[in-house]
Every structure is written in C-alpha cells, then in structure tokens.
C-alpha cells in the first residue's frame, strides 16, 4: 500500500490522557512524505471467525457468523472475552434488536491479514 494512502486512512494517536489524543497535522505531514522515504514494512493482524447463536426479541432462533480483526497476538488468548464484549456492546447499541441469551459457539483464527506498506 502506498504510504500516503495508508496515512490518509489512519487516525494517528499521539497520546492518551483522560481521552485519546489524535494529531491531524502529523497525519497531513506523513500523508505527504514521498514513498521512498519510508522503509518497506508490513502490518499483520489476526482475523477470527466467531459463530454465535441467540434468540431474537420476536422469539426466532438465529445462528450467525461474525468476524473480528485483532491488533495484537496478546489478544489471541482473550478472544472469547472480546467476543462476549461485542455481544454486550451490540445489545447496548441496538436495544430494539437484542441478541437474547447469546451463546458463543466457536471462535476460530482463520488467517492473518497482511498489509504491506511502502
């Protein structure tokens, strides 16, 4: 991927105080740097397939597949925690379409997404 395209798509976090701090000027600067001024590198992220089953508020049984991209191999150990948190967040954000009695049937690491930069 061309570095300028990469930095145009990213938000650049420069710190965390009581909230995350993002730097628009740094983003503009890095977006305009010539690609030959970047060392070629790659970003590798784990991709998981999560099988869920739940009841809808209308009493229908659903079995669905969801996907997650994790930014750290350290998260691999806690993938079940992240999947559970996704279901709670979904229910909080969609109170009119709750996933009732949601069960995580399986979590499988299906690949690593590799993004070459430079």
């Amino acid at each position: 991927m061309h570095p300028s395209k990469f930095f145009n798509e990213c938000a650049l976090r420069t710190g965390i105080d009581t909230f995350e701090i993002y730097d628009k000027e740094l983003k503009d600067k890095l977006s305009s740097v010539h690609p030959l001024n970047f060392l070629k590198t790659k970003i590798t992220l784990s991709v998981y397939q999560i099988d869920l089953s739940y009841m809808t508020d209308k009493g229908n049984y659903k079995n669905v597949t969801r996907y997650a991209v994790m930014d750290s191999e350290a998260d691999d150990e806690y993938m079940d925690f992240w999947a559970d948190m996704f279901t709670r967040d979904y229910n909080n954000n969609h109170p009119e379409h709750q996933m009732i009695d949601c069960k995580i049937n399986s979590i499988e690491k299906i690949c690593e997404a590799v993004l070459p930069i430079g």
Side-chain angles (χ1 to χ4, degrees):
M1 172 179 272
H2 195 284
S4 64
K5 182 176 180 184
F6 174 77
F7 287 109
N8 281 330
E9 295 296 322
C10 289
L12 301 181
R13 184 175 61 202
T14 57
I16 300 176
D17 192 4
T18 52
F19 56 91
E20 295 177 316
I21 302 166
Y22 292 91
D23 190 330
K24 171 107 172 75
E25 289 179 21
L26 182 58
K27 177 178 179 165
D28 293 341
K29 176 183 176 180
L30 291 174
S31 295
S32 65
V33 173
H34 192 280
L36 293 178
N37 291 325
F38 283 95
L39 299 175
K40 291 184 186 272
T41 188
K42 63 184 175 186
I43 298 171
T44 304
L45 303 171
S46 298
V47 180
Y48 292 86
Q49 179 175 304
I50 306 163
D51 182 55
L52 304 170
S53 58
Y54 62 93
M55 296 296 289
T56 67
D57 53 354
K58 294 183 181 178
N60 297 319
Y61 177 80
K62 295 276 188 170
N63 192 357
V64 297
T65 302
R66 299 292 182 253
Y67 298 89
V69 178
M70 304 307 291
D71 64 357
S72 167
E73 284 193 26
D75 289 334
D76 290 356
E77 182 179 345
Y78 303 105
M79 192 55 222
D80 56 340
F81 168 78
W82 291 113
D84 185 55
M85 194 164 60
F86 160 78
T87 60
R88 283 186 277 128
D89 288 347
Y90 179 90
N91 283 342
N92 289 336
N93 294 330
H94 301 90
E96 70 284 355
H97 298 292
Q98 295 277 314
M99 293 190 292
I100 301 166
D101 195 25
C102 187
K103 301 221 181 343
I104 300 169
N105 301 321
S106 66
I107 300 172
E108 178 184 359
K109 184 175 179 179
I110 57 174
C111 68
E112 291 182 336
V114 180
L115 177 65
I117 301 173

